[in-house]
Amino acid sequence: MSDQSGGGENRDVPPPAYTGYDGTPPSYQEHVVKKVDLPPYTGDGSGGYVEDEREEVPPRNRHVTYGYAAMLLSNEELGTDSIFILCFLVCLLFNWVGYIICCCLFTSIAARCGALSGIGLNLIKMLVILRKCQFENPQLVQTQLYLQLHDFQYAALMLLGIVTMFYGFLRYNTAKAQFNRQALLPRYM
């Protein structure tokens, strides 16, 4: 019942010899000649090739400068309005944690701008809550008293939230308008 060869393999039989290559390279005639299709050369000494009747297709964006080429957007880079609204709401509801989540999960311009707008409106929301509500927590009461004593800082933070919110909206609308203008341009310039 015991098998000494282990697993039912017979280890006494050598493997078969390899016979696929005899050591000599193939002859020149056995090789397949790969022909390269070059245009015919003019023999008049001009050093050029005969013009072919085929129309040359220009490479994409050949005449585009580097600055404009950096501004060209694809649909994946721009994103959609629903992604903008989703990231806006996530940042509005979940504060800076929502902002980090949106920036880590989404890479489109719509998501980044929506997150930026949402964090701006979140700042406005938190300032209004601190200003208008009554608190029992001593730290929140001190914060509320501080904001009441320093109206300039309250106004500056409120303005920062408003500017941040509108900056996100305007930046997304600008990118979307640029994408729409780019879609109307011809493919090759």
Side-chain angles (χ1 to χ4, degrees):
M1 289 293 221
S2 66
D3 189 15
Q4 293 180 347
S5 64
E9 296 177 17
N10 193 354
R11 296 181 187 249
D12 296 334
V13 178
Y18 180 71
T19 59
Y21 180 66
D22 60 356
T24 60
S27 68
Y28 183 75
Q29 288 79 16
E30 291 176 7
H31 280 287
V32 177
V33 178
K34 294 182 181 180
K35 183 179 178 186
V36 179
D37 187 24
L38 293 176
Y41 185 72
T42 60
D44 59 0
S46 64
Y49 291 97
V50 176
E51 292 295 326
D52 197 4
E53 298 297 324
R54 291 179 282 173
E55 183 179 322
E56 181 181 332
V57 178
R60 184 171 184 234
N61 300 329
R62 184 172 71 185
H63 300 291
V64 177
T65 61
Y66 178 73
Y68 184 72
M71 295 185 335
L72 295 176
L73 298 173
S74 69
N75 198 15
E76 292 83 23
E77 292 170 344
L78 180 64
T80 61
D81 292 340
S82 59
I83 293 293
F84 179 86
I85 293 170
L86 173 76
C87 290
F88 178 80
L89 292 175
V90 166
C91 289
L92 181 62
L93 297 176
F94 297 113
N95 302 336
W96 60 271
V97 175
Y99 183 78
I100 292 173
I101 288 171
C102 287
C103 286
C104 290
L105 289 180
F106 301 107
T107 58
S108 66
I109 294 172
R112 300 288 169 105
C113 292
L116 193 62
S117 296
I119 205 74
L121 189 60
N122 184 25
L123 179 62
I124 295 169
K125 175 188 79 170
M126 296 306 280
L127 288 170
V128 169
I129 288 172
L130 281 174
R131 186 70 164 225
K132 300 296 181 187
C133 294
Q134 298 296 326
F135 299 105
E136 295 178 10
N137 186 346
Q139 291 176 342
L140 291 175
V141 170
Q142 286 179 347
T143 305
Q144 191 175 25
L145 290 174
Y146 182 82
L147 286 175
Q148 288 174 356
L149 291 174
H150 302 284
D151 282 335
F152 176 73
Q153 289 178 350
Y154 176 77
L157 287 173
M158 186 70 78
L159 183 66
L160 178 69
I162 291 170
V163 167
T164 304
M165 181 183 67
F166 282 118
Y167 177 73
F169 282 129
L170 292 175
R171 180 147 181 190
Y172 176 61
N173 285 333
T174 303
K176 197 161 102 173
Q178 177 188 356
F179 178 74
N180 291 337
R181 275 193 312 267
Q182 176 187 340
L184 296 176
L185 291 177
R187 186 89 171 156
Y188 298 104
M189 288 189 239

